[in-house]
Coordinates of all heavy atoms in Angstrom, one line a residue:
M18 N 42.7 -39.1 -35.6 CA 43.9 -38.6 -35.0 C 43.6 -38.2 -33.6 O 42.7 -37.5 -33.3 CB 44.4 -37.4 -35.8 CG 45.7 -36.8 -35.3 SD 46.3 -35.4 -36.2 CE 46.4 -36.0 -37.9
S19 N 44.5 -38.6 -32.7 CA 44.3 -38.3 -31.3 C 44.6 -36.8 -31.0 O 45.4 -36.2 -31.7 CB 45.1 -39.2 -30.4 OG 46.5 -38.8 -30.5
P20 N 44.1 -36.2 -29.9 CA 44.4 -34.8 -29.6 C 45.9 -34.6 -29.3 O 46.5 -33.6 -29.6 CB 43.6 -34.6 -28.3 CG 42.5 -35.6 -28.4 CD 43.0 -36.8 -29.1
D21 N 46.6 -35.6 -28.7 CA 48.0 -35.5 -28.4 C 48.8 -35.4 -29.7 O 49.7 -34.6 -29.8 CB 48.5 -36.7 -27.6 CG 48.0 -36.6 -26.2 OD1 47.6 -35.5 -25.7 OD2 48.0 -37.7 -25.5
T22 N 48.4 -36.2 -30.7 CA 49.1 -36.2 -32.0 C 48.9 -34.9 -32.7 O 49.8 -34.3 -33.2 CB 48.6 -37.3 -32.9 OG1 48.8 -38.6 -32.2 CG2 49.4 -37.4 -34.2
R23 N 47.7 -34.4 -32.6 CA 47.4 -33.1 -33.3 C 48.1 -32.0 -32.6 O 48.7 -31.1 -33.2 CB 45.9 -32.8 -33.2 CG 45.4 -31.6 -33.9 CD 43.9 -31.4 -34.0 NE 43.2 -31.8 -32.9 CZ 42.4 -32.9 -32.7 NH1 42.3 -33.7 -33.7 NH2 41.8 -33.2 -31.6
N24 N 48.2 -32.0 -31.3 CA 48.9 -30.9 -30.5 C 50.4 -31.0 -30.8 O 51.1 -30.0 -31.0 CB 48.7 -31.1 -29.0 CG 47.3 -30.7 -28.6 OD1 46.6 -29.9 -29.4 ND2 46.8 -31.1 -27.5
S25 N 50.9 -32.2 -30.9 CA 52.4 -32.4 -31.3 C 52.7 -31.8 -32.6 O 53.7 -31.2 -32.9 CB 52.8 -33.9 -31.2 OG 52.7 -34.3 -29.9
L26 N 51.8 -32.1 -33.6 CA 52.0 -31.6 -34.9 C 51.9 -30.0 -34.9 O 52.7 -29.4 -35.6 CB 50.9 -32.1 -35.9 CG 51.1 -33.6 -36.2 CD1 50.0 -34.1 -37.1 CD2 52.4 -33.9 -36.9
Y27 N 51.0 -29.5 -34.2 CA 50.9 -28.0 -34.1 C 52.2 -27.4 -33.5 O 52.8 -26.4 -34.0 CB 49.8 -27.6 -33.2 CG 48.4 -27.7 -33.8 CD1 47.3 -27.9 -33.1 CD2 48.2 -27.7 -35.2 CE1 46.0 -28.1 -33.6 CE2 47.0 -27.9 -35.8 CZ 45.9 -28.1 -35.0 OH 44.7 -28.3 -35.6
V28 N 52.8 -28.1 -32.4 CA 54.0 -27.6 -31.8 C 55.1 -27.7 -32.8 O 56.0 -26.8 -32.9 CB 54.3 -28.4 -30.5 CG1 55.7 -28.1 -30.0 CG2 53.3 -28.1 -29.5
W29 N 55.2 -28.8 -33.5 CA 56.3 -29.0 -34.5 C 56.2 -27.9 -35.6 O 57.2 -27.3 -36.0 CB 56.2 -30.3 -35.2 CG 57.2 -31.3 -34.7 CD1 56.9 -32.3 -33.8 CD2 58.5 -31.4 -35.0 NE1 58.1 -33.0 -33.6 CE2 59.1 -32.4 -34.3 CE3 59.4 -30.6 -35.8 CZ2 60.4 -32.8 -34.4 CZ3 60.7 -31.0 -35.9 CH2 61.2 -32.0 -35.2
A30 N 55.0 -27.6 -36.1 CA 54.8 -26.6 -37.1 C 55.2 -25.2 -36.7 O 55.9 -24.5 -37.4 CB 53.3 -26.6 -37.6
V31 N 54.8 -24.9 -35.4 CA 55.1 -23.6 -34.9 C 56.6 -23.4 -34.7 O 57.2 -22.4 -35.0 CB 54.3 -23.3 -33.6 CG1 54.9 -22.0 -32.9 CG2 52.9 -23.1 -33.9
M32 N 57.2 -24.5 -34.1 CA 58.7 -24.5 -33.9 C 59.4 -24.3 -35.2 O 60.4 -23.5 -35.3 CB 59.1 -25.8 -33.2 CG 60.5 -25.8 -32.8 SD 61.0 -27.3 -32.0 CE 60.8 -28.5 -33.3
L33 N 59.1 -25.1 -36.2 CA 59.7 -25.0 -37.5 C 59.5 -23.7 -38.2 O 60.4 -23.1 -38.8 CB 59.3 -26.1 -38.4 CG 59.8 -27.5 -38.0 CD1 59.2 -28.6 -38.9 CD2 61.3 -27.6 -38.1
A34 N 58.3 -23.1 -38.0 CA 58.0 -21.8 -38.6 C 58.9 -20.7 -38.0 O 59.5 -19.9 -38.6 CB 56.6 -21.5 -38.5
L35 N 59.0 -20.7 -36.6 CA 59.8 -19.7 -35.9 C 61.3 -19.9 -36.3 O 62.0 -18.9 -36.5 CB 59.5 -19.8 -34.4 CG 58.2 -19.3 -34.0 CD1 58.0 -19.5 -32.5 CD2 57.9 -17.9 -34.3
F36 N 61.7 -21.1 -36.3 CA 63.1 -21.4 -36.6 C 63.4 -20.9 -38.0 O 64.4 -20.3 -38.3 CB 63.4 -22.9 -36.4 CG 64.9 -23.2 -36.7 CD1 65.8 -22.9 -35.7 CD2 65.3 -23.7 -37.9 CE1 67.2 -23.2 -35.9 CE2 66.6 -24.0 -38.1 CZ 67.6 -23.7 -37.1
G37 N 62.5 -21.3 -38.9 CA 62.7 -20.9 -40.3 C 62.7 -19.3 -40.5 O 63.5 -18.8 -41.3
L38 N 61.8 -18.7 -39.8 CA 61.7 -17.2 -39.9 C 63.0 -16.6 -39.4 O 63.5 -15.7 -40.0 CB 60.5 -16.7 -39.1 CG 60.3 -15.2 -39.1 CD1 60.0 -14.7 -40.5 CD2 59.2 -14.9 -38.1
N39 N 63.5 -17.1 -38.3 CA 64.7 -16.5 -37.7 C 65.9 -16.8 -38.6 O 66.7 -15.9 -38.9 CB 65.0 -17.1 -36.3 CG 66.1 -16.5 -35.7 OD1 66.3 -15.3 -35.7 ND2 67.0 -17.3 -35.1
W40 N 65.9 -18.0 -39.2 CA 67.0 -18.3 -40.1 C 67.0 -17.4 -41.4 O 68.0 -16.9 -41.8 CB 67.0 -19.7 -40.5 CG 68.1 -20.1 -41.5 CD1 69.3 -20.5 -41.1 CD2 68.0 -20.2 -42.9 NE1 70.1 -20.7 -42.2 CE2 69.3 -20.6 -43.3 CE3 67.0 -20.0 -43.8 CZ2 69.6 -20.7 -44.7 CZ3 67.3 -20.2 -45.1 CH2 68.5 -20.5 -45.6
V41 N 65.8 -17.2 -41.9 CA 65.7 -16.3 -43.1 C 66.1 -14.9 -42.8 O 66.8 -14.2 -43.5 CB 64.3 -16.4 -43.7 CG1 64.0 -15.3 -44.7 CG2 64.0 -17.7 -44.3
L42 N 65.6 -14.4 -41.6 CA 66.0 -13.0 -41.2 C 67.5 -12.8 -41.1 O 68.1 -11.8 -41.5 CB 65.3 -12.6 -39.9 CG 63.8 -12.5 -40.0 CD1 63.2 -12.2 -38.6 CD2 63.4 -11.3 -41.0
V43 N 68.1 -13.8 -40.5 CA 69.6 -13.7 -40.2 C 70.3 -14.0 -41.5 O 71.3 -13.2 -41.8 CB 70.0 -14.7 -39.1 CG1 71.5 -14.7 -39.0 CG2 69.4 -14.2 -37.8
R44 N 70.0 -15.0 -42.2 CA 70.7 -15.4 -43.4 C 70.7 -14.3 -44.5 O 71.7 -14.0 -45.1 CB 70.1 -16.7 -44.0 CG 70.7 -17.2 -45.3 CD 72.1 -17.7 -45.1 NE 72.7 -18.3 -46.3 CZ 73.4 -17.6 -47.2 NH1 73.6 -16.3 -47.0 NH2 73.8 -18.2 -48.2
F45 N 69.6 -13.7 -44.8 CA 69.4 -12.7 -45.8 C 69.4 -11.3 -45.4 O 69.2 -10.4 -46.1 CB 68.2 -13.0 -46.6 CG 68.2 -14.4 -47.3 CD1 67.4 -15.4 -46.8 CD2 69.0 -14.6 -48.4 CE1 67.4 -16.7 -47.4 CE2 69.1 -15.9 -49.0 CZ 68.3 -16.9 -48.5
D46 N 69.7 -11.1 -44.1 CA 69.8 -9.8 -43.5 C 68.6 -8.9 -43.9 O 68.8 -7.8 -44.4 CB 71.1 -9.1 -43.9 CG 71.5 -7.9 -43.0 OD1 71.1 -7.9 -41.8 OD2 72.3 -7.1 -43.5
L47 N 67.5 -9.4 -43.6 CA 66.2 -8.7 -43.9 C 65.8 -7.7 -42.9 O 64.9 -6.9 -43.1 CB 65.1 -9.7 -44.1 CG 65.3 -10.7 -45.3 CD1 64.1 -11.6 -45.4 CD2 65.4 -9.9 -46.6
T48 N 66.5 -7.6 -41.8 CA 66.2 -6.7 -40.7 C 67.5 -5.9 -40.4 O 68.0 -6.0 -39.3 CB 65.7 -7.4 -39.5 OG1 66.6 -8.3 -39.1 CG2 64.4 -8.0 -39.7
P49 N 67.9 -5.0 -41.3 CA 69.1 -4.3 -41.1 C 69.0 -3.3 -39.9 O 70.0 -2.9 -39.3 CB 69.4 -3.5 -42.4 CG 68.1 -3.4 -43.0 CD 67.3 -4.7 -42.6
S50 N 67.8 -2.9 -39.6 CA 67.7 -1.9 -38.5 C 67.6 -2.6 -37.1 O 67.7 -1.9 -36.1 CB 66.4 -1.0 -38.7 OG 65.3 -1.8 -38.7
A51 N 67.4 -3.9 -37.1 CA 67.3 -4.6 -35.8 C 68.7 -4.8 -35.3 O 69.7 -5.0 -36.0 CB 66.7 -6.0 -36.0
P52 N 68.9 -4.6 -34.0 CA 70.2 -4.8 -33.4 C 70.7 -6.2 -33.4 O 69.9 -7.1 -33.5 CB 70.0 -4.3 -31.9 CG 68.6 -4.4 -31.7 CD 67.9 -4.3 -33.0
A53 N 72.0 -6.4 -33.5 CA 72.6 -7.7 -33.6 C 72.2 -8.6 -32.4 O 72.0 -9.8 -32.6 CB 74.1 -7.6 -33.7
W54 N 72.1 -8.0 -31.2 CA 71.8 -8.8 -30.0 C 70.4 -9.5 -30.2 O 70.1 -10.6 -29.6 CB 71.9 -8.0 -28.8 CG 70.9 -6.9 -28.7 CD1 71.2 -5.6 -29.0 CD2 69.6 -6.9 -28.2 NE1 70.1 -4.8 -28.8 CE2 69.1 -5.6 -28.4 CE3 68.7 -7.9 -27.8 CZ2 67.8 -5.2 -28.0 CZ3 67.4 -7.5 -27.4 CH2 66.9 -6.2 -27.5
L55 N 69.5 -8.9 -30.9 CA 68.1 -9.4 -31.1 C 68.2 -10.7 -31.9 O 67.5 -11.7 -31.5 CB 67.2 -8.4 -31.8 CG 65.8 -8.9 -32.0 CD1 65.1 -9.1 -30.7 CD2 65.0 -7.9 -32.9
H56 N 69.1 -10.8 -32.9 CA 69.2 -12.1 -33.6 C 69.8 -13.2 -32.7 O 69.4 -14.3 -32.8 CB 70.1 -11.9 -34.8 CG 69.6 -11.0 -35.8 ND1 68.4 -11.2 -36.5 CD2 70.0 -9.8 -36.3 CE1 68.2 -10.3 -37.4 NE2 69.1 -9.3 -37.2
W57 N 70.7 -12.8 -31.8 CA 71.3 -13.8 -30.9 C 70.2 -14.3 -29.9 O 70.1 -15.4 -29.6 CB 72.5 -13.2 -30.1 CG 73.7 -13.2 -30.9 CD1 74.3 -12.1 -31.5 CD2 74.5 -14.3 -31.2 NE1 75.4 -12.5 -32.2 CE2 75.6 -13.8 -32.0 CE3 74.4 -15.6 -30.9 CZ2 76.5 -14.7 -32.5 CZ3 75.4 -16.5 -31.4 CH2 76.5 -16.0 -32.2
V58 N 69.4 -13.4 -29.4 CA 68.3 -13.7 -28.5 C 67.3 -14.7 -29.2 O 66.9 -15.7 -28.6 CB 67.6 -12.5 -28.0 CG1 66.3 -12.8 -27.2 CG2 68.5 -11.7 -27.1
L59 N 66.9 -14.4 -30.4 CA 66.0 -15.3 -31.2 C 66.6 -16.6 -31.4 O 66.0 -17.6 -31.3 CB 65.6 -14.6 -32.5 CG 64.7 -13.4 -32.4 CD1 64.4 -12.8 -33.7 CD2 63.3 -13.8 -31.7
S60 N 67.9 -16.6 -31.7 CA 68.6 -17.9 -31.9 C 68.7 -18.7 -30.6 O 68.4 -19.9 -30.7 CB 70.0 -17.7 -32.5 OG 70.0 -17.0 -33.7
C61 N 68.9 -18.1 -29.5 CA 69.0 -18.8 -28.3 C 67.6 -19.3 -27.9 O 67.5 -20.4 -27.4 CB 69.6 -17.9 -27.2 SG 71.3 -17.5 -27.4
V62 N 66.6 -18.5 -28.1 CA 65.2 -19.0 -27.8 C 64.9 -20.2 -28.6 O 64.3 -21.2 -28.1 CB 64.2 -17.9 -28.0 CG1 62.8 -18.4 -28.0 CG2 64.4 -16.8 -26.9
N63 N 65.2 -20.2 -29.9 CA 65.0 -21.3 -30.8 C 65.7 -22.5 -30.3 O 65.2 -23.6 -30.3 CB 65.4 -21.0 -32.2 CG 64.4 -20.2 -32.9 OD1 63.2 -20.2 -32.6 ND2 64.8 -19.3 -33.8
L64 N 67.0 -22.4 -29.9 CA 67.7 -23.5 -29.4 C 67.1 -24.1 -28.1 O 67.1 -25.3 -27.9 CB 69.2 -23.1 -29.2 CG 70.0 -23.0 -30.5 CD1 71.4 -22.5 -30.1 CD2 70.1 -24.3 -31.2
L65 N 66.7 -23.2 -27.2 CA 66.1 -23.6 -26.0 C 64.8 -24.4 -26.2 O 64.5 -25.4 -25.6 CB 65.8 -22.5 -25.0 CG 67.0 -21.8 -24.4 CD1 66.6 -20.6 -23.6 CD2 67.7 -22.8 -23.5
V66 N 64.0 -23.9 -27.2 CA 62.7 -24.6 -27.5 C 63.0 -26.0 -28.1 O 62.4 -27.0 -27.7 CB 61.9 -23.7 -28.4 CG1 60.7 -24.5 -29.0 CG2 61.4 -22.5 -27.7
F67 N 64.0 -26.0 -29.0 CA 64.3 -27.3 -29.6 C 64.9 -28.3 -28.5 O 64.6 -29.5 -28.5 CB 65.3 -27.1 -30.7 CG 65.5 -28.4 -31.5 CD1 64.6 -29.0 -32.2 CD2 66.8 -29.0 -31.5 CE1 64.8 -30.1 -32.9 CE2 67.1 -30.1 -32.2 CZ 66.1 -30.7 -32.9
G68 N 65.7 -27.8 -27.6 CA 66.3 -28.6 -26.6 C 65.2 -29.1 -25.6 O 65.3 -30.3 -25.2
R69 N 64.3 -28.3 -25.3 CA 63.2 -28.7 -24.4 C 62.3 -29.8 -25.1 O 61.9 -30.7 -24.5 CB 62.3 -27.5 -24.1 CG 61.1 -27.7 -23.3 CD 61.6 -28.1 -21.8 NE 60.4 -28.3 -21.1 CZ 60.1 -29.4 -20.4 NH1 61.0 -30.3 -20.3 NH2 59.0 -29.5 -19.7
Y70 N 62.1 -29.6 -26.4 CA 61.4 -30.7 -27.1 C 62.2 -32.0 -27.1 O 61.5 -33.0 -26.8 CB 61.2 -30.2 -28.6 CG 60.6 -31.3 -29.4 CD1 59.2 -31.7 -29.3 CD2 61.4 -32.1 -30.2 CE1 58.7 -32.7 -30.0 CE2 60.9 -33.1 -31.0 CZ 59.5 -33.4 -30.9 OH 59.0 -34.5 -31.6
L71 N 63.5 -32.0 -27.3 CA 64.2 -33.2 -27.3 C 64.2 -33.8 -25.9 O 64.2 -35.0 -25.7 CB 65.7 -32.9 -27.8 CG 65.8 -32.6 -29.2 CD1 67.3 -32.3 -29.6 CD2 65.3 -33.8 -30.1
L72 N 64.3 -33.0 -24.9 CA 64.3 -33.5 -23.5 C 62.9 -34.2 -23.2 O 62.9 -35.2 -22.6 CB 64.5 -32.3 -22.5 CG 64.5 -32.8 -21.0 CD1 65.7 -33.7 -20.7 CD2 64.6 -31.5 -20.2
G73 N 61.9 -33.5 -23.6 CA 60.5 -34.1 -23.4 C 60.4 -35.4 -24.2 O 59.8 -36.4 -23.7
F74 N 60.9 -35.5 -25.4 CA 60.9 -36.7 -26.2 C 61.7 -37.8 -25.5 O 61.2 -39.0 -25.4 CB 61.5 -36.5 -27.6 CG 61.4 -37.7 -28.5 CD1 60.3 -38.1 -29.1 CD2 62.6 -38.3 -28.8 CE1 60.2 -39.2 -29.9 CE2 62.6 -39.5 -29.6 CZ 61.4 -39.9 -30.1
W75 N 62.8 -37.5 -25.0 CA 63.7 -38.5 -24.3 C 63.0 -39.0 -23.0 O 63.0 -40.2 -22.7 CB 65.0 -37.9 -24.0 CG 65.9 -38.8 -23.2 CD1 66.6 -39.9 -23.6 CD2 66.2 -38.7 -21.8 NE1 67.2 -40.5 -22.6 CE2 67.0 -39.8 -21.5 CE3 65.8 -37.8 -20.8 CZ2 67.5 -40.0 -20.2 CZ3 66.3 -38.0 -19.5 CH2 67.1 -39.1 -19.2
Q76 N 62.4 -38.1 -22.3 CA 61.7 -38.5 -21.0 C 60.5 -39.4 -21.3 O 60.3 -40.4 -20.6 CB 61.2 -37.3 -20.3 CG 62.3 -36.5 -19.6 CD 61.9 -35.2 -19.0 OE1 60.8 -34.7 -19.3 NE2 62.7 -34.7 -18.0
R77 N 59.7 -39.1 -22.4 CA 58.6 -40.0 -22.8 C 59.1 -41.3 -23.2 O 58.5 -42.4 -22.8 CB 57.8 -39.3 -23.9 CG 56.8 -38.3 -23.5 CD 55.9 -37.9 -24.6 NE 56.5 -37.6 -25.8 CZ 57.0 -36.4 -26.2 NH1 56.8 -35.4 -25.3 NH2 57.5 -36.2 -27.3
R78 N 60.2 -41.4 -23.9 CA 60.7 -42.7 -24.4 C 61.3 -43.5 -23.2 O 61.1 -44.7 -23.1 CB 61.8 -42.5 -25.4 CG 62.3 -43.7 -26.0 CD 63.4 -43.5 -27.1 NE 63.8 -44.7 -27.8 CZ 64.6 -45.5 -27.3 NH1 65.2 -45.4 -26.1 NH2 64.9 -46.6 -28.0
A79 N 61.9 -42.8 -22.3 CA 62.5 -43.5 -21.2 C 61.5 -44.0 -20.2 O 61.7 -45.0 -19.5 CB 63.5 -42.5 -20.4
S80 N 60.3 -43.4 -20.1 CA 59.3 -43.8 -19.2 C 58.3 -44.8 -19.9 O 57.4 -45.2 -19.2 CB 58.5 -42.6 -18.7 OG 57.8 -41.9 -19.7
N81 N 58.5 -45.1 -21.1 CA 57.6 -46.0 -21.8 C 57.8 -47.4 -21.4 O 58.9 -47.9 -21.5 CB 57.8 -45.9 -23.3 CG 56.9 -46.7 -24.1 OD1 56.1 -47.4 -23.6 ND2 57.1 -46.7 -25.5
P82 N 56.8 -48.1 -20.8 CA 57.0 -49.4 -20.3 C 57.3 -50.4 -21.4 O 57.8 -51.5 -21.2 CB 55.7 -49.7 -19.6 CG 54.7 -48.8 -20.1 CD 55.5 -47.6 -20.6
N83 N 56.9 -50.1 -22.6 CA 57.2 -51.1 -23.7 C 58.5 -50.9 -24.4 O 58.9 -51.6 -25.3 CB 56.1 -50.9 -24.8 CG 54.7 -51.2 -24.3 OD1 54.6 -52.1 -23.5 ND2 53.7 -50.5 -24.8
N84 N 59.3 -50.0 -23.9 CA 60.7 -49.7 -24.4 C 61.6 -50.9 -24.0 O 61.7 -51.1 -22.8 CB 61.2 -48.4 -23.9 CG 62.5 -48.0 -24.4 OD1 63.1 -48.7 -25.2 ND2 63.1 -46.9 -23.9
P85 N 62.2 -51.6 -24.9 CA 63.1 -52.7 -24.6 C 64.3 -52.3 -23.8 O 64.9 -53.1 -23.1 CB 63.4 -53.3 -25.9 CG 63.2 -52.3 -26.9 CD 62.1 -51.4 -26.4
N86 N 64.7 -51.0 -23.9 CA 65.9 -50.5 -23.2 C 65.5 -49.9 -21.8 O 66.4 -49.3 -21.2 CB 66.6 -49.5 -24.0 CG 67.1 -50.0 -25.3 OD1 67.5 -51.2 -25.3 ND2 66.9 -49.2 -26.3
N87 N 64.3 -50.1 -21.3 CA 63.9 -49.5 -20.1 C 64.5 -50.3 -18.9 O 64.3 -51.5 -18.8 CB 62.3 -49.6 -19.9 CG 61.8 -48.8 -18.8 OD1 62.5 -48.3 -18.0 ND2 60.5 -48.6 -18.8
P88 N 65.3 -49.6 -18.1 CA 66.0 -50.3 -17.0 C 65.1 -50.7 -15.9 O 65.4 -51.6 -15.1 CB 67.0 -49.2 -16.5 CG 66.4 -47.9 -16.9 CD 65.7 -48.2 -18.2
K89 N 63.8 -50.2 -15.8 CA 62.9 -50.6 -14.8 C 62.3 -52.0 -15.1 O 61.8 -52.6 -14.2 CB 61.8 -49.6 -14.7 CG 62.2 -48.2 -14.3 CD 61.0 -47.3 -14.3 CE 61.5 -45.9 -14.1 NZ 60.5 -44.9 -14.3
D90 N 62.5 -52.5 -16.3 CA 61.9 -53.8 -16.7 C 63.0 -54.6 -17.2 O 63.3 -54.7 -18.4 CB 60.8 -53.5 -17.7 CG 60.1 -54.8 -18.1 OD1 60.1 -55.7 -17.2 OD2 59.5 -54.9 -19.2
P91 N 63.7 -55.4 -16.3 CA 64.8 -56.2 -16.8 C 64.3 -57.3 -17.7 O 63.2 -57.8 -17.5 CB 65.4 -56.8 -15.5 CG 64.4 -56.6 -14.4 CD 63.5 -55.5 -14.9
P92 N 65.1 -57.8 -18.6 CA 64.7 -58.8 -19.5 C 64.6 -60.1 -18.8 O 65.3 -60.4 -17.9 CB 65.8 -58.8 -20.6 CG 67.0 -58.2 -20.0 CD 66.5 -57.2 -18.9
G93 N 63.8 -61.0 -19.4 CA 63.6 -62.3 -18.9 C 62.6 -62.5 -17.8 O 62.2 -63.3 -17.2

């Protein structure tokens, strides 16, 4: 396994763990003493991390020279 693949798996695991933890805390109201704004902040951070991941994935796919939809390499 290449280091890039291993790092990607670690990022996925951490992202899913944080998202799951936040979801469990909000869904089951396990932190009644925490202010409501903290849940919103955690949710926004999770959405930003996931959005950043999708943007990076899209940029890698768009810059891939083997991508058949790459506008830099016209067919034929």
Side-chain angles (χ1 to χ4, degrees):
M18 180 183 303
S19 73
D21 288 339
T22 304
R23 186 173 39 252
N24 289 339
S25 294
L26 290 174
Y27 288 152
V28 169
W29 259 102
V31 169
M32 182 181 68
L33 288 176
L35 290 177
F36 184 79
L38 178 64
N39 186 43
W40 181 81
V41 166
L42 290 175
V43 171
R44 174 71 174 93
F45 298 108
D46 198 24
L47 297 177
T48 56
S50 62
W54 60 267
L55 181 62
H56 294 297
W57 281 104
V58 168
L59 289 175
S60 298
C61 290
V62 167
N63 282 330
L64 286 175
L65 287 173
V66 167
F67 187 67
R69 178 69 177 127
Y70 172 77
L71 290 178
L72 179 65
F74 180 75
W75 177 75
Q76 288 175 337
R77 278 192 310 274
R78 186 178 185 280
S80 65
N81 183 359
N83 296 326
N84 182 3
N86 298 322
N87 192 347
K89 296 176 187 174
D90 186 23

